[in-house]
Amino acid sequence: MAIVFVLIPISLVLVGLACWAFFWAVGSGQFDELETPAWEILTDDDGVPPAPRTSAETRTHPE
Amino acid sequence: MADAPADCFHCGEPLGRRAPLWTTVRGAAVAVCCAGCRAAAETIAQLGLEDFYRFRTAPASKPTDAAGEWRAYDDPALRDSLTRREADGRSAILWIDGLTCAACGWLITRAVTQMEGVVRADLNMATGRAQIVWDDGKATLGKLLGGIAALGYRPRVVTGGNVDSLAKLERRANLKRLAVAGLGMMQVMMFAIAMYTGDADGMDPSIRAYLRIVSLLVATPVMLYGGWPFLRGAVNSLRMRSVTMDVPVSVGLILAYAASVFNTWRQRGEVYFDSVTMFIFFLTVARYVEMVARHHSTGVTDALSRLIPATAHRLTGGPGAEIIQDVDVRQLGAGDRVLVRAGEVIPADGEILGGGARIDESMLTGESVAVARIAGDRVAAGTLNADTPFTLGVTAAGSSTVLAGIVALLARAQAERPRITRAADRIAGWFLSLVLAAAAAVCGVWLVLDPSKAFPATLAVLVAACPCALSLATLVAVANASTALARRGVLVAHADAIEGLAKVTRVVFDKTGTLTDGRVQIGEFSPSRGASERDAVEIAATLEAASEHPIARAFASAAGAGGVAADAQIVAGSGVEGSVGGRRYRIGTNAFVRAGFGGDLGRAAPGATGARDDVIFLGDTAGFLGGFTLEDSPRPESAGVVRRLMEEGIGVEISSGDSKAAVRRVARHCSIERYAGRQTPMQKLERIRSLAADGEFVAMVGDGINDAPVLGGAGVSVAMGRGSALAHASADLILVGDSLQALPDAFRLARRTMRIIRQNLAWAVAYNATVMPLAAVGWLPPWMAAIGMSASSIVVVLNSTRARPAPE
């Protein structure tokens, strides 16, 4: 059973990665609006410019 | 990374080696030194006051202390744009961050009401908004905001645009907590199952100790990050010497977590990491669902207030030499002329001056078919010009438009707490103290009987008995019902309206504009001297073609397109005179037409209509040709709506200021048995009072200015969307669709909502009553208590969503 001493830390690292990925997704606005993307597939025009950011949003990366 | 600036953008202090915070001003990222400066900069940016940074001569004062941060709000210009003058003081609508349960709302309301100069404060948990009215001489906005911030909640002043981004930030934060709690819970449960199996089948002590330490590692972020809102809420409420839902939750969490850490360290006894993480996860889920319901119900108002475009094309200069100038919509005023291009949203209330267009009013009415509007018709701000450009003569702009009035009423309704929710909160508050007392008693008894069971039993009582479901019971149902009604074009302007609607036993209609559409039509023709109706209508239409009067339009639609009388002369308030086919005719009032043929008073007016004021006469130089009665035709849906109301067991009657004959006609059309014409507002009010005295709960549907006192006197009042602003202000509900169609649905929905609320309350009380004794005798382990409590909240929230049927 000594293998659990290795496997559990690995699983915890994976959980940490999952958490980080989810935080990144939330922070980049993936979950802000869940209705429009479902409809976008029905529109023909690709390359619709993304909605402008509101001034209230804080940026984490200024570049 | 771009080269970091050396100084804070807002206060000018050197940033040093600290990592700066970033925000956006005028589309550019700027660095600030602290959250206080960021909040100040964002507020200034949101209000469109960025020019402050261009023109300032010295850096802004750094918001150091709690009060200082909010002092910026005392600037007169800022204050005027954020607040409104009311009869009893100055008022502002605030969005409060960090509201976690109903008791927080109670806490803030109580604390704010005690502040100096505050006239009243009203907070609605379902929307997270508070309305505060204060005496300008004794308090300032900055002071009040500072006071609320000192309680541990972050107030923000609600202006049209920023609500959405605030809601977004809240949703993001809660999603993250949900993810941490969920992932953490799954891990800890996995280890817990391994340990339970180990208890049964035997397990190496080193592996058991290892699993416990790993559980501790995973549970700690869940406790500190996921559980943070509950811990913070508990601290806030204790500082105010009151008990909110967060107190027993936090006491339970801290006890369980601390005992588990201690037992892990000494490697003996029970650990409860599974219960802790599960409890936090389920509570977070319940709060997330509640937040979604809350955002839904505010979304409608915010969507309405965002309808108005930011700029308008103002026309200046005379005809032929017009100059189009794009101006800020706030600069528009009555009398301005504005060009509305095809596909644009109409920026202000007004009248179509030239041309005609189909107008899409769906954002106001929900009616998807665009309606044709011609020159002279009134159009409302926020509706969409579907096809043809036209010139708009502005009659009202900015905060005096119909739309702005409706939005203000809705904002007020959302800042009010319904009576029924207040009652549930009182019970919940009282119940919380009981839970804490019971937990202490259980602990005491078990210490005497069997000390080993004292801890789990106390924990189970604390966790299981939390009356979260009780305070969610009404809140979410009412919020969902408001959203459902808004989708059907019924806006709830008073928090208690839904409760009242469910109780209605009788509906009293004011005829004009409610059962009828308020548009004049030509009714019967009573001829004199053998004139044929066809000729008479044609002559009348040709004469009236010169006029813009509503009656004139009625003739135009009756006769179809025709010529215009060559030498038509309009006599204001009397009628039109002109030649048709070489003969001179007059159309208008009795006296006007009489004067046309020499005023022979002996000659009888056509029909028995001499004294009636709803008849328009046609005559030539020899005498009367006939009279047209004017009618206000019933709405197409009226009869059906009345029938559906009666099927629901609701009595219907008419009480109108119109002539008795006209009222009788509409009553027959809709098969209404009780009706009264020629009623003054006082008589209408008396009728409503006498019905109320007979035990009826009356809903009044009206639209006129003189209906306002009557609407105020009814149990529930409904105003038509096209009605006067005064009628809106005294109404509980507004039919923005300007159609009665939604009315029967509204009654049914309200009744169903009240039924759901009763179910929720019964469920919450039954759950708490059953589970408390079970937990107290120790039959309920803490983890099961966590599931039970959270499941009961989720049942209530899910049951409440039935009040909001899926959108068609």
Side-chain angles (χ1 to χ4, degrees):
Chain A
M1 284 302 280
I3 192 70
V4 294
F5 290 100
V6 180
L7 288 181
I8 288 179
I10 291 177
S11 77
L12 289 186
V13 169
L14 289 177
V15 167
L17 279 177
C19 250
W20 172 82
F22 186 75
F23 272 44
W24 170 84
V26 170
S28 66
Q30 304 282 327
F31 293 91
D32 286 344
E33 223 259 289
L34 300 174
E35 243 165 81
T36 317
W39 291 94
E40 262 168 16
I41 196 161
L42 297 174
T43 59
D44 286 330
D45 43 359
D46 296 326
V48 176
R53 285 173 159 242
T54 60
S55 61
E57 258 176 293
T58 45
R59 289 199 194 160
T60 44
H61 300 290
E63 322 47 12
Chain B
M1 186 179 263
D3 45 336
D7 299 330
C8 170
F9 179 74
H10 183 74
C11 69
E13 272 198 10
L15 289 169
R17 260 184 285 162
R18 275 176 300 172
L21 293 160
W22 294 91
T23 184
T24 315
V25 172
R26 288 185 161 272
V30 298
V32 289
C33 63
C34 62
C37 284
R38 186 172 68 188
E42 281 172 3
T43 308
I44 289 169
Q46 274 166 25
L47 294 167
L49 302 174
E50 296 102 320
D51 279 348
F52 163 71
Y53 290 117
R54 276 210 293 154
F55 299 123
R56 65 177 175 177
T57 50
S61 63
K62 185 182 169 66
T64 42
D65 54 323
E69 180 183 336
W70 304 100
R71 210 166 288 146
Y73 285 98
D74 293 339
D75 175 65
L78 195 55
R79 187 196 60 195
D80 288 343
S81 63
L82 294 176
T83 62
R84 250 193 350 264
R85 281 216 137 285
E86 302 241 332
D88 47 352
R90 196 172 270 283
S91 91
I93 293 186
L94 309 180
W95 164 294
I96 315 251
D97 242 5
L99 285 184
T100 45
C101 72
C104 297
W106 169 81
L107 171 71
I108 292 177
T109 317
R110 201 179 67 163
V112 171
T113 316
Q114 285 167 354
M115 288 180 195
E116 203 199 342
V118 172
V119 180
R120 63 198 149 86
D122 211 357
L123 186 138
N124 185 331
M125 269 303 295
T127 56
R129 290 175 178 201
Q131 189 192 26
I132 298 182
V133 180
W134 67 93
D135 185 342
D136 238 353
K138 293 196 193 137
T140 63
L141 181 60
K143 247 193 233 170
L144 295 174
L145 293 176
I148 295 171
L151 297 173
Y153 302 91
R154 202 174 166 76
R156 293 156 196 257
V157 183
V158 175
T159 56
N162 64 4
V163 178
D164 210 35
S165 58
L166 296 179
K168 189 157 74 186
L169 292 180
E170 191 189 2
R171 190 168 53 234
R172 286 181 177 186
N174 284 351
L175 260 179
K176 288 182 188 171
R177 291 191 202 282
L178 196 62
V180 168
L183 286 172
M185 180 210 65
M186 287 182 228
Q187 299 299 311
V188 173
M189 287 308 289
M190 207 164 66
F191 305 136
I193 288 170
M195 281 190 274
Y196 287 139
T197 329
D199 284 343
D201 303 345
M203 185 186 242
D204 191 283
S206 67
I207 291 189
R208 172 180 297 278
Y210 174 65
L211 286 179
R212 285 182 162 204
I213 290 168
V214 173
S215 300
L216 167 66
L217 279 180
V218 178
T220 303
V222 176
M223 175 80 181
L224 295 183
Y225 183 71
W228 178 246
F230 310 106
L231 301 175
R232 190 189 55 191
V235 170
N236 287 339
S237 83
L238 288 179
R239 266 211 317 231
M240 283 301 296
R241 293 198 183 75
S242 68
V243 179
T244 66
M245 207 82 70
D246 291 329
V247 175
V249 167
S250 299
V251 170
L253 285 178
I254 291 170
L255 278 181
Y257 180 75
S260 306
V261 172
F262 182 64
N263 287 343
T264 308
W265 173 67
R266 62 172 189 161
Q267 303 197 356
R268 264 188 297 125
E270 282 285 312
V271 292
Y272 302 100
F273 292 122
D274 50 346
S275 307
V276 170
T277 51
M278 197 156 56
F279 194 31
I280 291 176
F281 174 67
F282 284 131
L283 280 175
T284 312
V285 168
R287 296 234 167 129
Y288 188 80
V289 174
E290 188 215 319
M291 178 203 73
V292 170
R294 191 173 68 216
H295 288 175
H296 258 298
S297 62
T298 44
V300 177
T301 333
D302 300 331
L304 277 179
S305 57
R306 275 199 307 272
L307 282 178
I308 304 289
T311 60
H313 320 295
R314 186 161 66 188
L315 296 172
T316 48
E322 284 172 329
I323 303 161
I324 300 175
Q325 197 184 3
D326 281 0
V327 296
D328 189 322
V329 77
R330 283 174 289 190
Q331 294 174 10
L332 288 181
D336 279 348
R337 284 177 307 134
V338 172
L339 177 69
V340 183
R341 300 205 172 104
E344 282 185 343
V345 173
I346 298 172
D349 284 357
E351 203 172 286
I352 297 183
L353 291 182
R358 287 190 307 122
I359 307 290
D360 179 357
E361 299 180 335
S362 59
M363 45 285 274
L364 276 182
T365 64
E367 175 60 58
S368 55
V369 182
V371 287
R373 297 269 181 248
I374 54 163
D377 278 341
R378 300 183 70 86
V379 290
T383 53
L384 184 86
N385 177 8
D387 49 14
T388 326
F390 64 86
T391 311
L392 177 80
V394 176
T395 53
S399 60
S400 41
T401 60
V402 174
L403 182 70
I406 290 176
V407 168
L409 288 178
L410 284 186
R412 183 194 63 189
Q414 287 175 351
E416 280 177 347
R417 286 178 74 49
R419 203 165 32 219
I420 186 162
T421 312
R422 286 198 295 264
D425 285 349
R426 257 199 313 279
I427 301 172
W430 169 83
F431 190 79
L432 278 169
S433 315
L434 192 80
V435 169
L436 286 177
V442 165
C443 182
V445 172
W446 276 111
L447 279 177
V448 176
L449 296 177
D450 178 1
S452 75
K453 280 195 177 170
F455 189 73
T458 312
L459 206 57
V461 169
L462 278 175
V463 170
C466 184
C468 290
L470 196 61
S471 57
L472 286 174
T474 59
L475 212 72
V476 185
V478 169
N480 281 333
S482 305
T483 315
L485 285 172
R487 279 226 181 96
R488 286 172 161 70
V490 183
L491 293 183
V492 178
H494 264 294
D496 289 330
I498 291 174
E499 194 188 351
L501 213 49
K503 287 194 287 192
V504 167
T505 54
R506 182 162 286 262
V507 180
V508 179
F509 285 96
D510 164 46
K511 187 195 66 101
T512 319
T514 59
L515 288 171
T516 66
D517 61 9
R519 273 181 221 171
V520 181
Q521 283 195 334
I522 309 301
E524 294 156 44
F525 174 68
S526 4
S528 299
R529 305 187 356 233
S532 91
E533 180 168 356
R534 249 193 65 188
D535 293 346
V537 169
E538 212 157 280
I539 295 166
T542 316
L543 286 172
E544 292 280 14
S547 167
E548 285 290 336
H549 196 272
I551 293 173
R553 251 181 276 155
F555 278 106
S557 55
V564 181
D567 52 352
Q569 270 186 314
I570 301 166
V571 182
S574 299
V576 184
E577 179 178 0
S579 307
V580 180
R583 288 177 68 174
R584 284 200 80 71
Y585 294 95
R586 277 190 171 199
I587 185 165
T589 61
N590 192 341
F592 176 69
V593 177
R594 231 173 244 285
F597 52 81
D600 183 356
L601 288 171
R603 212 172 302 210
T609 52
R612 283 176 59 176
D613 52 1
D614 56 350
V615 175
I616 186 160
F617 296 96
L618 178 68
D620 57 15
T621 45
F624 281 114
L625 283 171
F628 300 93
T629 55
L630 298 176
E631 294 184 348
D632 192 5
S633 63
R635 290 172 187 274
E637 74 272 16
S638 292
V641 165
V642 168
R643 202 183 56 241
R644 281 176 63 198
L645 286 176
M646 286 174 170
E647 279 167 11
E648 297 270 321
I650 297 170
V652 179
E653 65 178 72
I654 305 180
S655 185
S656 174
D658 281 7
S659 69
K660 285 180 180 160
V663 172
R664 192 184 311 122
R665 201 171 49 238
V666 174
R668 288 229 180 96
H669 174 83
C670 303
S671 34
I672 297 172
E673 278 163 27
R674 254 209 86 103
Y675 54 87
R678 288 263 171 259
Q679 297 284 298
T680 64
M682 264 332 282
Q683 283 171 316
K684 291 182 194 174
L685 195 56
E686 264 165 37
R687 173 70 191 146
I688 284 176
R689 291 211 174 120
S690 80
L691 282 171
D694 293 344
E696 301 254 29
F697 199 90
V698 182
M700 174 83 198
V701 187
D703 79 329
I705 292 173
N706 47 12
D707 282 334
V710 191
L711 289 174
V716 172
S717 47
V718 184
M720 303 303 289
R722 289 267 163 76
S724 67
L726 200 59
H728 286 174
S730 45
D732 297 316
L733 296 147
I734 302 169
L735 296 176
V736 274
D738 206 48
S739 152
L740 294 174
Q741 207 65 266
L743 202 57
D745 285 345
F747 283 113
R748 195 172 317 146
L749 196 76
R751 286 178 182 183
R752 191 164 70 174
T753 305
M754 295 314 287
R755 206 157 53 228
I756 287 171
I757 288 177
R758 276 194 294 274
Q759 286 165 0
N760 284 349
L761 288 174
W763 164 261
V765 168
Y767 162 77
N768 276 326
T770 330
V771 96
M772 268 264 259
L774 287 179
V777 297
W779 288 354
L780 199 69
W783 63 270
M784 221 189 261
I787 294 183
M789 185 258 111
S790 320
S792 116
S793 295
I794 290 170
V795 163
V796 161
V797 169
L798 290 182
N799 189 35
S800 303
T801 54
R802 294 194 305 125
R804 193 179 70 215
E808 296 88 78

